[in-house]
Amino acid sequence: MSITIVTLDGPAGVGKTTVARELADRLEIAYLDTGAMFRAIALTLGEGSWELPVDKLVPELNRLDFDLEGVGRHSALLLNGFPLSEDIRSEQVGLWASHLGRIPVIRDFLRRNQQAIGQVTPLVAEGRDMGSVVFPDAKYKFFLDASIEIRAKRRFDQLKEMGMLEDLESIQARIRIRDDQDRNRSIAPLRPAPDAVVIDTGLLDAQGVLEEVLGHIAKKNI
Ligand code: DC
């Protein structure tokens, strides 16, 4: 029997992380935050790394080794054996990650890593292209969406909670750039897989989204 994979995709600030973590907890499987992988590479390689030629990028990537440990909310991504730094969570690193996400060798490298993890571990996989490209055969696929105003406000509250104060307008401006870049890149652009359930999270809180996702999973299993 193939391993259970639940994919959860959507744009920046839509609330995927909260829902994915809770969902993994309820299903008692691991949670894979693929945005954190792009962010960790961005923080490791630094500003401007998206302008490096491919022959300089590849040896840098070959030095990186991702592992996933634990289950549910206790799932932890390790890079070369160490937990990821909280510094990956800033909006600036998110924007760098989006720049790197347009580069084919970076996407290929991470897709191979993500698929290798999914081959041995049941997962809730969160990102932009989990249902469309990385796990096209996943049994359960969800795509979350909401207006840019709602997403910017959610991201503002989330960053505030982590002690990272940023003003709402610049968060919205960065999200707009990321949206544009993530949706319009030539490989693995952000869009729902044809067989994904699309959920508008604008009128729902995280608990409401979680219940809706769990409802679809239960229905599919009847
Ligand atoms: O989900 P996030 O905000 O942590 O993701 C940061 C950036 O990484 C996002 O703007 C684009 C890139 N990304 C991607 O291209 N594909 C993924 N599966 C996950 C993230």
Side-chain angles (χ1 to χ4, degrees):
M1 207 180 83
S2 67
I3 283 192
T4 301
I5 307 274
V6 182
T7 62
L8 207 60
D9 291 303
V14 79
K16 302 183 298 285
T17 303
T18 314
V19 174
R21 199 177 276 149
E22 295 262 329
L23 181 64
D25 228 34
R26 294 278 280 267
L27 300 175
E28 297 181 14
I29 59 179
Y31 156 60
L32 179 66
D33 177 357
T34 63
M37 299 169 108
F38 282 88
R39 286 168 180 263
I41 294 184
L43 191 64
T44 305
L45 302 190
E47 183 162 20
S49 52
W50 47 92
E51 272 155 18
L52 286 173
V54 170
D55 62 325
K56 291 258 168 11
L57 268 180
V58 171
E60 295 289 340
L61 293 176
N62 288 339
R63 274 195 271 278
L64 306 178
D65 182 31
F66 284 101
D67 264 321
L68 182 64
E69 280 188 348
V71 169
R73 68 182 64 248
H74 302 294
S75 307
L77 263 171
L78 304 179
L79 176 56
N80 294 341
F82 293 97
L84 306 185
S85 151
E86 274 302 300
D87 294 346
I88 63 166
R89 296 293 161 199
S90 75
E91 276 302 285
Q92 180 167 50
V93 174
L95 187 56
W96 294 0
S98 174
H99 296 329
L100 286 171
R102 301 166 66 190
I103 302 176
V105 285
I106 304 257
R107 299 211 75 84
D108 279 352
F109 170 78
L110 282 180
R111 181 182 40 75
R112 277 185 272 113
N113 270 263
Q114 292 152 4
Q115 288 173 335
I117 294 172
Q119 238 159 39
V120 291
T121 319
L123 286 179
V124 174
E126 178 216 320
R128 301 287 186 290
D129 58 342
M130 295 298 103
S132 54
V133 174
V134 178
F135 298 114
D137 300 327
K139 187 164 175 193
Y140 312 101
K141 297 184 184 179
F142 298 92
F143 188 94
L144 309 187
D145 216 344
S147 73
I148 187 159
E149 290 78 16
I150 288 178
R151 291 186 284 123
K153 177 67 170 66
R154 281 184 187 156
R155 183 49 63 96
F156 173 83
D157 291 342
Q158 206 178 37
L159 288 169
K160 197 162 128 194
E161 216 167 89
M162 287 193 278
M164 299 184 187
L165 256 195
E166 301 207 25
D167 75 279
L168 188 58
E169 263 163 41
S170 29
I171 292 179
Q172 188 161 324
R174 284 210 184 98
I175 289 187
R176 203 178 291 284
I177 299 174
R178 280 215 275 158
D179 269 5
D180 191 49
Q181 218 162 230
D182 295 349
R183 287 185 211 270
N184 296 317
R185 64 183 172 226
S186 54
I187 43 164
L190 169 70
R191 66 181 57 133
D195 51 346
V197 174
V198 179
I199 300 176
D200 182 344
T201 72
L203 297 172
L204 296 167
D205 60 8
Q207 200 54 37
V209 179
L210 179 66
E211 294 308 328
E212 191 160 334
V213 167
L214 284 167
H216 280 285
I217 292 177
K219 227 188 298 169
K220 219 169 174 173
N221 277 329
I222 288 171

